[in-house]
Amino acid sequence: MTAVDESTAPVNAGDAALLVQRYGAEPESAPELSDVIRHQLAHRSVRAFGPEPVSDAALDAIVAAAQSAPTSSNLQTWSLVVVRDPELKSRLASLSGDQEFIRQAPVFLVWLVDFARLAQLADRHDHALDGADYTESAIVGFVDVSLAAQNASLAAESLGLGTVFVGGARNHPEELAAELHLPDRVVAAFGLAVGHPDEADTARVKPRLPQPAVVHHERYREDTQLPAVDDYEKTIRAFYEDEGLAHSWIERVLARIGTVRGLNGRERNREALRNRGFELR
Amino acid sequence: MTAVDESTAPVNAGDAALLVQRYGAEPESAPELSDVIRHQLAHRSVRAFGPEPVSDAALDAIVAAAQSAPTSSNLQTWSLVVVRDPELKSRLASLSGDQEFIRQAPVFLVWLVDFARLAQLADRHDHALDGADYTESAIVGFVDVSLAAQNASLAAESLGLGTVFVGGARNHPEELAAELHLPDRVVAAFGLAVGHPDEADTARVKPRLPQPAVVHHERYREDTQLPAVDDYEKTIRAFYEDEGLAHSWIERVLARIGTVRGLNGRERNREALRNRGFELR
């Protein structure tokens, strides 16, 4: 890779390789990287774990990293359940798309949107909790638990662990809540499997859309996106081919989001959230 | 700080200081830290910026870090608008709680939940987009944009920049959409002000709830939380006192979420999301 103009520092070979993996193409610019950003660029989802446990010292650090993420008005409307018990973990796997790597991972973290802590406080202080009943509060909870979990995932990776997010933890919200004894006003946002990557694990960095598809300047533009998607379609073909998956990103995303069937039962999650105590007014 | 048992390595003085800042108390355990985690622990929200611009090379890296975060089924249902124009930035500040630091920051990033890109694809391929109309899809969008933005914030901090999330970008969703020319099926999740911290900036690391309040093992427990909150109430008093704010976390959170008034108009965000093309079925 060469510098695109005199004001742009050339990227060294290691950094260029990270960017080529992430975008499946030579970068057109020379971003300013740090060691933290290099860790972020190298993220891959790990779905095969070895038997070594995750230490308490690592877990304490992962939680501290999660709690260091920003949180709206310092409300801290999230919590997590650390699941190590093999039988419980297996039942949660069955409820979460029956994915074997959840059983294999030594730790399965279930990330929760949690207004029950504030409800306990409201009860004790004889205070209303009316704001919690609004869609806005569910948004605050899902945003905050996601900021926290992304810090946790990167922290785990920085300790040599592998992770994968599990949206399947939203497949059966009420049954999962029963397994984990979740009180009213608490619902699982997603899971995060954590462990030492198996030696045979072949997961690779997945290329993303070119920046012009997702970055706008001063105003949103629709006309830059389809050309960038068409470039991406060529880029990701080789990646999906190696993974033994259908080749077209466009076909994959339209199958996933185009029909109700692609939601895998999660089409009832408005009802499920209401059953969990989120009125979503 | 001393090691709690023989299996736990002692924490060095620098790491202990990071943990004391984050929890406002001596840590009871000795977490395993990495340089990435040290960056995460040191996070503070910056609300005073100097005039130096944010370079394109930094911005490219921040976006690459954001795109490196996990995304559900590789759907990539988010995008962002980079706002540098002072007049536009000032109008967005007025719509977002009239916070002066937005005008001061050289860059204001508006993070978007975005199903318009997929809608363009569905149109072109004469495919339905029925799944996008469900609450579940809005959850996917808010989760994914949050994972991305947290990577972006940490990336910016690792380059010496300061950031602060702006939930106020949800105060007037339709008006903000008009300013940014957002099409149907796109809505602002939050803003992120980015810039070089002002020399006079005194923002500090804000202590969080003790881990026993937010971490559960194998099952959720309600009985551990209020004692931890009561400890926190003492811890954070000193922090809020220094900031010139009301001293009680409990009073602050109940005022914020206990009544509809604390939502600052965001109680209409279910309607606003529907106006932006999210049916939330």
Side-chain angles (χ1 to χ4, degrees):
Chain A
M1 140 151 213
T2 54
V4 290
D5 67 41
E6 289 183 3
S7 67
T8 308
V11 174
N12 69 47
D15 288 351
L18 282 172
L19 292 161
V20 167
Q21 279 186 89
R22 178 52 66 202
Y23 288 107
E26 293 288 324
E28 289 177 20
S29 63
E32 179 186 355
L33 302 188
S34 65
D35 284 344
V36 168
I37 296 172
R38 291 183 185 97
H39 271 279
Q40 294 173 319
L41 290 173
H43 164 74
R44 61 197 182 94
S45 291
V46 171
R47 293 183 178 82
F49 299 99
E52 307 86 346
V54 172
S55 71
D56 287 343
L59 203 59
D60 288 350
I62 289 166
V63 171
Q67 290 192 272
S68 298
T71 159
S72 180
S73 303
N74 200 24
L75 289 173
Q76 307 182 60
T77 51
W78 61 269
S79 54
L80 79 161
V81 182
V82 179
V83 178
R84 300 181 194 261
D85 176 62
E87 291 181 16
L88 175 58
K89 199 147 48 67
S90 180
R91 293 198 299 278
L92 297 181
S94 300
L95 290 173
S96 306
D98 210 25
Q99 301 181 91
E100 192 55 30
F101 61 78
I102 299 174
R103 297 188 180 88
Q104 206 179 47
V107 175
F108 188 53
L109 303 178
V110 183
W111 295 85
L112 306 169
V113 177
D114 187 342
F115 282 81
R117 188 162 47 238
L118 299 185
Q120 280 195 65
L121 284 171
D123 275 352
R124 190 177 72 178
H125 296 270
D126 202 19
H127 198 289
L129 200 68
D130 295 346
D133 291 336
Y134 287 81
T135 298
E136 164 65 17
S137 291
I139 291 174
V140 163
F142 276 101
V143 167
D144 282 2
V145 74
S146 303
L147 301 179
Q150 179 53 25
N151 255 13
S153 171
L154 187 71
E157 290 173 346
S158 77
L159 297 173
L161 297 163
T163 73
V164 60
F165 279 77
V166 180
R170 293 193 304 276
N171 285 6
H172 299 284
E174 296 97 333
E175 292 87 337
L176 187 138
E179 286 286 357
L180 297 177
H181 301 257
L182 305 185
D184 200 38
R185 298 187 188 271
V186 180
V187 72
F190 42 73
L192 187 75
V194 182
H196 294 268
D198 186 79
E199 285 175 20
D201 174 52
T202 57
R204 294 187 301 145
V205 170
K206 188 179 290 178
R208 296 286 193 237
L209 286 164
Q211 290 202 5
V214 300
V215 183
H216 304 267
H217 293 275
E218 310 300 342
R219 57 157 290 183
Y220 191 98
R221 295 200 173 274
E222 290 190 271
D223 55 358
T224 54
Q225 295 184 47
L226 289 190
V229 168
D230 289 335
D231 286 344
Y232 183 58
E233 187 78 349
K234 293 171 206 150
T235 298
I236 200 147
R237 177 176 292 271
F239 178 86
Y240 282 140
E241 203 166 81
D242 289 353
E243 303 276 310
L245 298 170
H247 299 176
S248 165
W249 182 74
I250 294 170
E251 283 174 27
R252 291 174 64 82
V253 296
L254 290 179
R256 169 71 174 72
I257 206 78
T259 66
V260 178
R261 196 163 154 240
L263 298 185
N264 276 316
R266 294 185 217 162
E267 62 273 16
R268 61 172 296 283
N269 275 357
R270 174 166 167 78
E271 180 193 340
L273 276 160
R274 293 172 65 112
N275 289 341
R276 297 300 315 132
F278 294 84
E279 273 203 41
L280 302 179
R281 287 179 64 178
Chain B
M1 147 157 206
T2 54
V4 291
D5 68 40
E6 290 183 0
S7 67
T8 307
V11 174
N12 68 47
D15 287 351
L18 282 172
L19 291 161
V20 167
Q21 280 185 92
R22 177 52 65 203
Y23 289 107
E26 292 288 325
E28 290 177 21
S29 63
E32 180 186 355
L33 302 188
S34 65
D35 284 344
V36 168
I37 296 171
R38 291 183 184 97
H39 271 279
Q40 293 173 320
L41 290 173
H43 164 75
R44 61 198 181 93
S45 291
V46 171
R47 293 183 177 83
F49 299 98
E52 308 86 345
V54 174
S55 71
D56 287 342
L59 202 60
D60 288 349
I62 289 166
V63 172
Q67 291 192 272
S68 298
T71 158
S72 179
S73 304
N74 200 26
L75 289 173
Q76 306 182 61
T77 51
W78 60 270
S79 54
L80 78 161
V81 182
V82 180
V83 179
R84 300 183 194 259
D85 176 62
E87 290 181 15
L88 175 57
K89 199 147 48 65
S90 180
R91 293 197 300 276
L92 297 181
S94 300
L95 290 173
S96 305
D98 210 25
Q99 301 181 89
E100 192 56 29
F101 61 79
I102 300 175
R103 295 187 182 89
Q104 207 178 46
V107 175
F108 188 54
L109 302 179
V110 184
W111 295 85
L112 306 168
V113 177
D114 187 343
F115 281 80
R117 186 161 49 237
L118 299 184
Q120 278 196 65
L121 284 172
D123 275 352
R124 190 177 70 176
H125 296 270
D126 201 20
H127 198 290
L129 200 69
D130 294 347
D133 291 336
Y134 287 81
T135 297
E136 163 65 15
S137 293
I139 291 173
V140 163
F142 276 101
V143 168
D144 281 4
V145 74
S146 303
L147 301 179
Q150 179 53 26
N151 256 13
S153 171
L154 186 71
E157 290 172 346
S158 77
L159 297 174
L161 298 164
T163 73
V164 60
F165 279 77
V166 179
R170 292 193 303 277
N171 284 7
H172 299 284
E174 295 97 333
E175 291 87 339
L176 186 138
E179 286 287 357
L180 298 177
H181 300 258
L182 304 185
D184 199 38
R185 297 186 188 273
V186 179
V187 72
F190 41 74
L192 187 75
V194 182
H196 294 267
D198 186 80
E199 283 175 20
D201 174 52
T202 57
R204 294 187 302 145
V205 170
K206 188 180 290 178
R208 296 286 192 235
L209 286 165
Q211 291 202 5
V214 300
V215 183
H216 305 268
H217 293 275
E218 311 301 343
R219 58 157 290 184
Y220 192 98
R221 293 198 176 275
E222 290 189 271
D223 56 357
T224 54
Q225 294 183 49
L226 289 189
V229 167
D230 289 335
D231 286 345
Y232 184 57
E233 187 77 348
K234 293 171 206 147
T235 298
I236 200 148
R237 177 176 293 271
F239 179 86
Y240 282 140
E241 201 165 83
D242 288 352
E243 304 276 310
L245 299 170
H247 298 177
S248 165
W249 182 73
I250 294 170
E251 284 174 27
R252 292 174 63 82
V253 298
L254 290 178
R256 169 71 173 74
I257 205 77
T259 65
V260 178
R261 195 163 153 241
L263 299 184
N264 275 317
R266 295 185 216 164
E267 63 273 16
R268 59 172 299 281
N269 275 356
R270 174 166 167 77
E271 180 193 342
L273 276 160
R274 292 173 65 112
N275 289 342
R276 297 300 315 132
F278 294 84
E279 272 203 40
L280 303 179
R281 286 179 65 178

